[in-house]
Amino acid sequence: MTGSWATFGADLHLDLAAGRGLRAALTEALREAARSGRLAPGTRLPSSRSFAADLGIARNTVAEAYAELVAEGWLTARQGSGTRVAERARPRRAAAAARTRHPARRGPAYSLLPGSPDLGAFPRMAWAAAARRALTDAPNEAFGYATDARGRVELREALAGYLARARGVYADPDRIVLCAGFAHALMLLGRVLRERRVREVAVEGYGLDVHRDLLTGAGLTTRPLWLDGDGARTTDLAGFGPRTGAVLLTPAHQFPTGAALTPGRRAAAVDWARTGGGLILEDDYDGEFRYDRQPVGALQGLDPDRVVYLGTASKSLSPALRMGWMVVPPDLLDEVLAAKGRTDWTSSALEQLTLARFIGSGAYDRHVRGMRLRYRRRRDELVAALAGKVPVSGIAAGLHAVLDLPAGAERSLVQAAAWQDLALEGLARYRHPDSDLPVRDALVVGYGTPSDSAWAPALAALLAALP
C-alpha cells in the first residue's frame, strides 16, 4: 500500500514501503515522519481505531506500530492525553543546521531611532473590539474580490469626516484613495507625474532617502529646497523653472529638522502651484502629535485642487497595518486609479472595515489623545535630562527631537551610542546629496520608539554616550 493518505486533523502523506508487512511499513513511515520533522514534537496522533479505518487496515496493526515507537522513544502515550510525538524527537536537518549555524548577530539592546511609534502601545483590546464589530456588520460582498481601486467606502467615509475635523482637510470620500502606506502612495504619484511628463520634483534638503529613491525610480529627478527654522524655503520654487512640476513637503512637522512651515511659506507654495500648474505632495508626517502650539492644519485646506494630501496610520497606530490614504484633486483621480489598477489589492478589506469602525466609534481619537500625553511626558523628560548638555530643537510636535552638536562630533557620538548598546542616527543620514545647506552636526532622537519599560534605560544610554 504505497502513497496512502491519512487524516491527523490535517492531511499527512505516508509512504508505506511495498514488499514489507503492513505493521513494519507503518512503523517505519511514522518513525521517518517524526525523525524528519514532518510530524512535529507534541503532535497528537489519531486513535488506533480511527487511524486503522483511515488506512483500511486492522486496528491491532496500528496499535502494535504505536507500541513499538513508544518503546523506542519516538512516541509517548498517556491516559487522557492520547498518543503524541515525543518532544525529544528532533528533525535531523534541524539538528544539523543547529550545529553549523553561525550565531545570530544581536542588535542593540535599545533604540532611539526616529520614524516609529511605541509598538507596545498598540490598542489591542480596542482594535479587537472594532474588528469583532466590523466582522459582524460586514456585508457579504466585503468577503469577495475587491472591485473599487479606491478601497472600502466605509473607511473612506470615516476618514473624510476625521480628516475634515482633525486636520482641516477637504475630503470627499470619492476622492480618497486607500493604499499600503506612504511609500506606496508616493510610488503611484511618481508614475502619474512621469506620465504627465514631469521631469523634476522639489524635495526638502533633509528628508528620507527612501522617498527620494521612489521618485527617482519613477524616472524623476529630485531637487533640494533650502531649509531653516521656518521650514522649506518655498519662495525658491518660483525660480526652479518648468522642469519642476511638483514639490514634496512635510509642512506640519518637517522630517527630520522638526520645523513647521510658516504661513507665508505655505502661501508661497500654493501660489507657485497655481501659477505654474504644479502639484504639492503633502506628507502629513505625525501631524496629530503636537504639544506646545495650536494645531497646525493641513496645507491641503488652502487649495484642494493643487495639493495631494497623504496620511497613514503608521505613526498613530502601527506600521504593521500597512494602511495609508491619499486625498486626490479631482483632475488627478482617474490617473491615480489607473496607476493603482482596477482592484484594491493593497490591504485587507476586513482591516479597512476595522479601521473604519475604530475611527467611527471614537476609539481612534481616544488613542491619539492618550499617546499625545505619553509622548509629551517623554519629550519633557528628554529635554530636562539634556538641560545644560546640548541644545534641543524640533520639539513642538512629533515623535523625535534634534540634538545640535559641535562641528565634527556627530559620527563619534553615534559610535559612542553604539558602545552603550543604543541605536541612534545622525542628521547627516537624511541630507540630500545635492543640497548646498551648511553642514549641521546633530542627532535625531526618536523618543516615541521605545516601549515604556525600555524608555528609561534608553535615555540613560543616551546620556552616557554624550560627553
Side-chain angles (χ1 to χ4, degrees), residues 187-439:
M187 179 185 71
L188 297 175
L189 290 169
R191 293 178 188 170
V192 171
L193 290 171
R194 183 65 181 177
E195 288 293 322
R196 287 191 163 199
R197 300 189 181 280
V198 170
R199 293 296 177 262
E200 186 174 81
V201 177
V203 297
E204 295 159 332
Y206 283 100
L208 283 171
D209 55 357
V210 65
H211 294 167
R212 297 193 296 265
D213 291 345
L214 286 169
L215 293 171
T216 56
L220 304 164
T221 59
T222 61
R223 183 170 178 178
L225 281 168
W226 187 276
L227 275 174
D228 56 28
D230 292 334
R233 201 164 65 186
T234 54
T235 50
D236 293 348
L237 287 169
F240 275 18
R243 281 179 54 86
T244 304
V247 59
L248 174 61
L249 297 172
T250 51
H253 187 237
Q254 201 281 325
F255 184 85
T257 66
L261 196 63
T262 59
R265 292 191 177 180
R266 286 173 168 239
V270 171
D271 288 344
W272 165 82
R274 288 173 175 169
T275 301
L279 278 173
I280 300 170
L281 314 182
E282 179 180 12
D283 178 5
D284 196 22
Y285 180 81
D286 59 25
E288 293 154 314
F289 298 110
R290 75 275 178 183
Y291 312 117
D292 300 331
R293 66 185 187 202
Q294 291 297 315
V296 178
L299 178 62
Q300 190 260 12
L302 294 178
D303 194 339
D305 292 335
R306 303 311 317 167
V307 181
V308 182
Y309 176 88
L310 301 107
T312 78
S314 297
K315 305 301 181 293
S316 57
L317 285 169
S318 165
L321 292 177
R322 306 308 307 146
M323 197 79 72
W325 43 86
M326 293 184 274
V327 183
V328 183
D331 69 342
L332 198 70
L333 181 60
D334 288 344
E335 295 165 74
V336 169
L337 293 177
K340 191 181 182 203
R342 283 183 284 182
T343 59
D344 181 28
W345 52 266
T346 54
S347 54
S348 162
L350 296 181
E351 285 194 342
Q352 292 179 36
L353 291 172
T354 299
L355 181 56
R357 174 67 60 178
F358 196 74
I359 294 171
S361 69
Y364 187 81
D365 284 89
R366 289 191 294 273
H367 175 71
V368 169
R369 286 197 299 270
M371 295 309 298
R372 191 181 295 143
L373 292 173
R374 177 182 298 196
Y375 293 141
R376 179 170 184 162
R377 283 194 297 269
R378 291 189 185 180
R379 184 212 60 171
D380 291 346
E381 291 170 2
L382 175 67
V383 172
L386 295 172
K389 293 181 178 290
V390 292
V392 184
S393 61
I395 57 173
L399 305 181
H400 71 275
V402 178
L403 280 55
D404 282 292
L405 304 171
E410 180 181 311
R411 182 176 297 181
S412 62
L413 282 177
V414 170
Q415 182 59 59
W419 290 335
Q420 297 295 328
D421 224 5
L422 173 67
L424 200 60
E425 283 183 347
L427 187 61
R429 154 82 172 75
Y430 302 101
R431 182 186 174 89
H432 193 292
D434 299 330
S435 176
D436 60 354
L437 283 165
V439 174

Side-chain angles (χ1 to χ4, degrees), residues 139-212:
N140 291 339
E141 51 87 14
F143 297 93
Y145 293 106
T147 57
D148 191 337
R150 291 171 299 182
R152 293 295 308 182
V153 66
E154 295 89 341
L155 179 53
R156 291 187 282 114
E157 289 175 346
L159 283 170
Y162 174 79
L163 294 174
R165 170 172 52 82
R167 303 297 301 132
V169 173
Y170 289 92
D172 184 325
D174 289 340
R175 288 170 46 200
I176 294 177
V177 179
L178 304 179
C179 46
F182 179 84
H184 180 221
L186 191 59
M187 179 185 71
L188 297 175
L189 290 169
R191 293 178 188 170
V192 171
L193 290 171
R194 183 65 181 177
E195 288 293 322
R196 287 191 163 199
R197 300 189 181 280
V198 170
R199 293 296 177 262
E200 186 174 81
V201 177
V203 297
E204 295 159 332
Y206 283 100
L208 283 171
D209 55 357
V210 65
H211 294 167
R212 297 193 296 265

